[in-house]
Amino acid sequence: MIPLVDVKAQYAPLIPQLQERLAQVLESGRFIFGPEVEAFERESAAFLGVAHAIGVANGTDALVLALEAMGIGRGDEVICPAFTFYASAESIARVGATPVFADIDPVSLNLDPEDVAARMTARTKAIMPVHLFGRPAPLDALASLGLPLIEDSAQAFGAAGVASKGVCSTFSFFPTKNLFALGDGGLVACSDDEVAERVRMLRFHGSRDKKTFELVGTNSRLDAIQAAALRVFLPHLNGWNRGRREGAARYAELGLGDVVELPLDEPGHVYHMYVVRSPDRARIAAALAEAGIASASYYVVPLHLQPAMRYLGYSAGSLPETERAAADNLALPLWGGIGAEVQEQVAAAVLAAAGVTAAS
Ligand SMILES: Cc1ncc(COP(=O)(O)O)c(C=O)c1O
């Protein structure tokens, strides 16, 4: 069976190093905050080029805490895509604000700045671009609209420009992400000292000193064990991302572009997922499954049509490009270090499903 992502293939060579570092954490007896978390926060801030990086429990909390720290709440609107994981819009609703869905660009699958501009009102307090599938969203165009940005960067650690324009940029370390933990984990990157201080307080019950409680916060911490693993993985991230880019180039060389629409390449794209488009995706997915190859279609019911978002009043046809992408996207196997042989099998199965013989 060829999986969609082989996470273990990426970390297997690092198991001895992981064992050593995790043993050090066991020896230290420090599992909450402490030196491992502080070191990972410093190292990830340096990697991302931001002043502050704050470890939290997962990527959903990272979004909620960032929105709260940016002062977004009841009566405010935040514009986001509907072609993304549910947590993007859920976090906006969670802080009491209203998600306003804008359509996506059909080629990049990221927010379309023109449609965002058309949906801005006096109540719009921020724009939430999602760097979908590892492709950088058009931050310059979105920033030029004059509102604060909060970047949902869950799928794009290491992508070009990520965390460069948002007041906050949030990450998830769910194990299939480009940079991953051995369980849940998240991060808020921030270059505004005051917002960063509020995120730090909010992740620990609104307190600076664990004695005085100045805000109503929550408990959302990155564990020391996860920080230790992330410190082992971070130096390998650029190599894994290069491997993903090489894999994407190989699919193009293998002729997939003859039968499906390929993701547009650009230098900063880190291919969290390799997503092609085809009106025949059901047939291709069935042929892949028959050949023992995993594939997946993402956000098949986009967020504006999800039951929990019905109160917002969207209906089928409200976001045409979003709905088209929901209907024809198909992710093919890709990870850092996927081999040529595996990709040849995938390509042969896709081409066969389309009635074409594989290029040799
Ligand atoms: C775009 C996006 N936003 C937010 C999240 C939420 O992250 P987590 O699962 O760590 O809460 C994810 C991933 O799961 C995601 O893909």
Side-chain angles (χ1 to χ4, degrees):
M1 185 75 196
I2 298 176
L4 197 58
V5 187
D6 190 344
V7 182
K8 192 167 175 200
Q10 293 189 142
Y11 71 72
L14 299 172
I15 287 178
Q17 208 181 328
L18 279 170
Q19 283 171 332
E20 194 182 312
R21 298 294 291 276
L22 298 184
Q24 285 168 8
V25 176
L26 289 178
E27 274 306 313
S28 78
R30 287 291 304 264
F31 299 114
I32 300 291
F33 292 136
E36 285 295 339
V37 174
E38 284 163 22
F40 176 66
E41 290 180 340
R42 271 195 312 277
E43 288 160 11
S44 54
F47 183 99
L48 294 165
V50 295
H52 308 276
I54 302 140
V56 296
N58 54 64
T60 306
D61 279 4
L63 285 166
V64 171
L65 296 174
L67 286 163
E68 281 184 335
M70 288 167 67
I72 291 164
R74 207 159 295 284
D76 298 335
E77 293 175 358
V78 178
I79 300 177
C80 69
F83 191 60
T84 172
F85 181 58
Y86 181 60
S88 306
E90 181 189 38
S91 63
I92 297 167
R94 199 78 177 71
V95 301
T98 302
V100 173
F101 296 114
D103 211 351
I104 53 170
D105 174 272
V107 175
S108 71
L109 305 182
N110 277 322
L111 269 183
D112 171 3
E114 266 183 40
D115 199 51
V116 171
R119 290 170 197 269
M120 282 165 52
T121 72
R123 287 184 298 279
T124 313
K125 287 290 155 25
I127 300 166
M128 181 190 286
V130 179
H131 303 289
L132 198 75
F133 302 139
R135 178 196 300 280
L139 294 181
D140 287 330
L142 293 168
S144 74
L145 299 175
L147 288 168
L149 303 186
I150 166 168
E151 300 174 41
D152 182 344
S153 314
Q155 303 184 2
F157 213 110
V162 161
S164 64
K165 290 280 189 303
V167 176
C168 290
S169 178
T170 65
F171 297 88
S172 162
F173 301 129
F174 185 84
T176 56
K177 299 292 193 257
N178 292 45
L179 178 64
F180 54 94
L182 308 177
D184 276 313
L187 191 79
V188 180
C190 182
S191 288
D192 181 305
D193 295 345
E194 281 177 24
V195 175
E197 178 64 7
R198 274 200 296 278
V199 174
R200 268 185 207 289
M201 291 167 71
L202 288 167
R203 78 170 168 179
F204 186 77
H205 305 292
S207 179
R208 291 174 218 263
D209 59 3
K210 305 189 177 75
K211 294 185 199 87
T212 315
F213 300 92
E214 299 171 52
L215 303 169
V216 175
T218 188
N219 173 12
S220 181
R221 299 179 288 225
L222 181 69
D223 293 333
I225 292 256
Q226 299 303 349
L230 285 159
R231 293 186 69 205
V232 171
F233 296 147
L234 185 59
H236 297 275
L237 178 68
N238 283 337
W240 288 332
N241 282 346
R242 261 196 308 280
R244 287 172 183 269
R245 292 189 47 73
E246 284 161 15
R250 194 177 292 126
Y251 274 137
E253 283 159 21
L254 288 166
L256 284 194
D258 295 342
V259 296
V260 293
E261 188 183 324
L262 301 187
L264 178 76
D265 188 41
E266 55 189 280
H269 192 340
V270 293
Y271 291 97
H272 170 57
M273 288 290 162
Y274 185 82
V275 178
V276 301
R277 302 183 65 179
S278 168
D280 277 341
R281 75 156 176 213
R283 197 154 56 82
I284 297 170
L288 287 170
E290 185 79 9
I293 299 167
S295 66
S297 291
Y298 281 92
Y299 321 128
V300 171
V301 178
L303 304 192
H304 66 297
L305 302 177
Q306 289 290 349
M309 297 287 148
R310 216 167 269 153
Y311 73 101
L312 296 170
Y314 295 82
S315 53
S318 298
L319 299 167
E321 292 301 342
T322 294
E323 290 164 35
R324 205 166 65 79
D328 72 3
N329 82 85
L330 186 70
L332 302 179
L334 184 71
W335 57 89
I338 188 174
E341 236 171 75
V342 169
Q343 290 193 272
E344 281 160 16
Q345 283 181 53
V346 176
V350 173
L351 293 170
V356 179
T357 312
S360 57

